[in-house]
Amino acid sequence: MYHLFMIDYHLHGNFCGHAEGELEEYVLEALGKGFVEIGFSDHLPKVVNPDPYHAMLEERLPEYVALVGHLQRKYAGKITIRLGIEADFFPGFEDRTRSLLASMPFDYVLGSVHFLGDWHFTSKAHRDRYETEDPGVAFPRHFELLGSMIESGLFDVLAHPDALRKERFVPPLPPEREYAGIAALLAARGMAIEVNTAGLRRGAGSIYPDPALLAACHGAGVPVTLGSDAHAPVDVGRDFTLAFQLLERTGVTEIATYEGRRMTRRPIGEFRQVAGSGRFYDMLSGGEALWRKQHEPNRP
Ligand code: ZN
Ligand code: FE
Ligand code: FE
Ligand code: ZN
């Protein structure tokens, strides 16, 4: 029996150079899969070194906001569509980031770290750096950035906090103290943490975050959002059965939703469909099949 969550708060689209598909194609995909609420979270224009491959240029931001508004009206009554954005944290550029975020009526802001200095560690173009970078240096620096990001107060949700992690690129020691620190900071700031299934597709081999970090956050009372980080329409809701299993194991019973940057905690049951009921859609994917092979080898 598989459960699916019918809410996805981390969707991209062709406003950035590294994703494909019109925003409307994501809406149609979500409708087809039975989603009741989605949120677009394309990349906020970079406030340093603008780069249309990573994020739309600033002059396109109004177009993005207007298009999401158009889709909200066009599909009203069928699906709730939130206007989100995924914003990078660049220390030293907080004021610039704050004013850009305040310039548009966002429902929520995902906060992300994608860069360590000149290393764009989430980019395919920089993947070879994983061979030469030292995890003993990279992870402490990354944790420090995450801490400053949370304390900046600019963001609502901490997105993929361990996107730096890859199968063979992990912290030298289990970062229990760092996880506890992140959880405490999130709780103090009233932020949520995202459960993001893209980790299954991007070399980490498991969902972001590390279950130990999710457990620390849950223990500190930090609420959870859910996202596929789809960069193509077909990935909407990808691997959400596994996300559900992770939440269930962790004891999470509520999902955080946002409107006008105000959070509401809602019971998970509101967004759950059980396989075989309603408009169930089989989202079994390559990532999920691989995970099952590793974790449930005897399952037919
Ligand atoms: Zn992206
Ligand atoms: Fe990201
Ligand atoms: Fe993303
Ligand atoms: Zn992302």
Side-chain angles (χ1 to χ4, degrees), residues 248-281:
E248 197 171 48
R249 278 200 305 277
T250 311
V252 174
T253 57
E254 292 174 330
I255 292 285
T257 61
Y258 286 86
E259 185 175 3
R261 304 203 62 182
R262 289 174 58 112
M263 186 221 297
T264 307
R265 295 171 187 246
R266 291 156 68 180
I268 259 176
E270 275 187 47
F271 299 107
R272 199 173 68 195
Q273 282 196 19
V274 178
S277 78
R279 291 171 293 166
F280 172 73
Y281 186 98

Side-chain angles (χ1 to χ4, degrees), residues 43 86 112 114 160:
H43 297 278
E86 177 176 12
S112 299
H114 299 103
H160 55 62

